[in-house]
Amino acid sequence: MDEAQTGTRQPSAGQLLARARARWPRVSVSEEELAAALDRASAGGKAAAHAEDLFLAIALARREPAALQAFEESVLPQARAALKARRMRDEAVEEALQQLRERLFVFGHIADYSGRGPLASWTRMAAVRLALNLSRGKAAQADEAGLDELVAPGIAPELALLKARHRPEFKSCFEQAFQALDDRARTALRLSLLEGLTTTQLARMFRVDGSTVRRWLAEARQQLLAKTRELLRDRLGLEQSELDSLIGLLLTQLDDSVRRILGASSR
């Protein structure tokens, strides 16, 4: 029995695209991109029921600014609410969400989203599981709790030795990447990480809303990691897997590394 007989005719990619563009009008994704993503999602036998969210995820995977803003405004608040419902401190909530952003958009695991469930629910579940592992001090082993798709690559002993061997270059690349940030990014990081100002305090100081400050901080961290990766690749000529693992090491120490740079520059 065909779809017409059962009355369950599926919308075309063009129709789905029109709905997605109506929901996310500032986000740019082509019909071909959406159709390809829908095909990949249905390869396992289950169709993507949430094509509009898949549309957003495509743009998020390339870190399109409008998509990142839509994520901050429409998706992440549900994850934040779920963490606060667990009576987590505001600082712990924001730390978990920041690590989630890094895993999704720096390491590219937003591409794992298939569209079979709502993006907000997928993100909320990931945030809660990540927060639980962070609170247990097991962020590097989160795959044991079902978060293998959101964890930075594991660090093998030989890669730790590689970092030790190239410590001066590693430190130099990170410091150079930090200096490449614009003044606003460096100032926001300094006030947040060194002086301990909250998002609310920073928003009041910059006369913007809290989501804007959170986006600034997220973008600054993403730029730091991306620039450090680029400099390390050019300077050391590492294999991609080694480079990813070194960046994974940096990710676990990112805020502390920034604090050291800021602390040294203030003395």
Side-chain angles (χ1 to χ4, degrees):
M1 186 176 294
D2 61 24
E3 291 176 344
Q5 289 175 303
T6 60
T8 58
R9 186 169 183 172
Q10 298 297 312
S12 67
Q15 292 171 319
L16 292 172
L17 183 69
R19 295 178 191 174
R21 284 177 173 167
R23 183 175 177 188
W24 312 110
R26 294 176 296 169
V27 176
S28 176
V29 172
S30 70
E31 183 174 346
E32 292 75 17
E33 287 178 301
L34 181 59
L38 290 168
D39 286 344
R40 287 193 299 272
S42 62
K46 292 183 178 180
H50 297 268
E52 295 165 21
D53 285 350
L54 190 58
F55 172 96
L56 178 62
I58 294 168
L60 287 170
R62 57 174 176 256
R63 288 181 282 187
E64 184 180 308
L68 291 170
Q69 184 173 351
F71 181 85
E72 291 288 335
E73 294 173 352
S74 302
V75 178
L76 207 61
Q78 294 188 40
R80 181 175 287 107
L83 297 182
K84 288 187 174 182
R86 302 182 69 87
R87 298 182 181 178
M88 293 176 60
R89 292 179 297 106
D90 287 348
E91 294 82 357
V93 169
E94 295 308 320
E95 178 187 2
L97 294 179
Q98 180 54 36
Q99 292 214 20
L100 178 66
R101 291 184 188 97
E102 289 163 351
R103 283 154 175 75
L104 291 178
F105 307 132
V106 176
F107 285 93
H109 293 300
I110 186 64
D112 294 333
Y113 173 68
S114 67
R116 294 174 187 169
L119 179 59
S121 298
W122 186 84
T123 302
R124 183 175 65 246
M125 184 180 300
V128 169
R129 289 177 176 171
L130 178 57
L132 286 172
N133 281 284
L134 287 172
S135 68
R136 294 169 184 160
K138 297 180 180 178
Q141 296 154 347
D143 57 315
E144 296 178 5
L147 266 185
D148 54 323
E149 75 278 14
L150 292 177
V151 179
I155 306 301
E158 60 269 21
L159 291 173
L161 290 173
L162 181 66
K163 181 189 174 185
R165 187 179 307 129
H166 295 290
R167 187 176 300 278
E169 293 92 342
F170 195 91
K171 180 174 181 289
S172 173
C173 288
F174 181 71
E175 291 177 349
Q176 187 176 340
F178 181 80
Q179 293 304 322
L181 294 174
D182 61 35
D183 290 342
R184 187 186 67 190
R186 289 198 301 272
T187 299
L189 285 171
R190 176 176 60 80
L191 293 172
S192 173
L193 297 178
L194 197 63
E195 300 187 19
L197 269 64
T198 66
T199 299
T200 300
Q201 290 171 320
L202 286 171
R204 192 177 301 121
M205 178 179 294
F206 285 105
R207 297 182 180 180
V208 295
D209 58 29
S211 65
T212 298
V213 172
R214 286 190 290 272
R215 188 178 74 252
W216 288 350
L217 293 172
E219 289 172 350
R221 289 178 169 94
Q222 290 166 10
Q223 290 165 14
L224 265 177
L225 289 168
K227 185 64 175 178
T228 303
R229 176 195 291 271
E230 175 189 332
L231 292 168
L232 282 171
R233 183 189 63 227
D234 294 345
R235 191 171 300 184
L236 299 180
L238 299 174
E239 295 291 334
Q240 188 65 39
S241 60
E242 294 177 326
L243 185 58
D244 285 344
S245 293
L246 279 176
I247 294 298
L249 270 174
L250 175 58
L251 177 58
T252 65
Q253 308 161 1
L254 184 61
D255 284 357
D256 285 341
S257 298
V258 173
R259 288 189 186 97
R260 281 195 292 273
I261 290 176
L262 291 169
S265 65
S266 66
R267 289 197 292 266

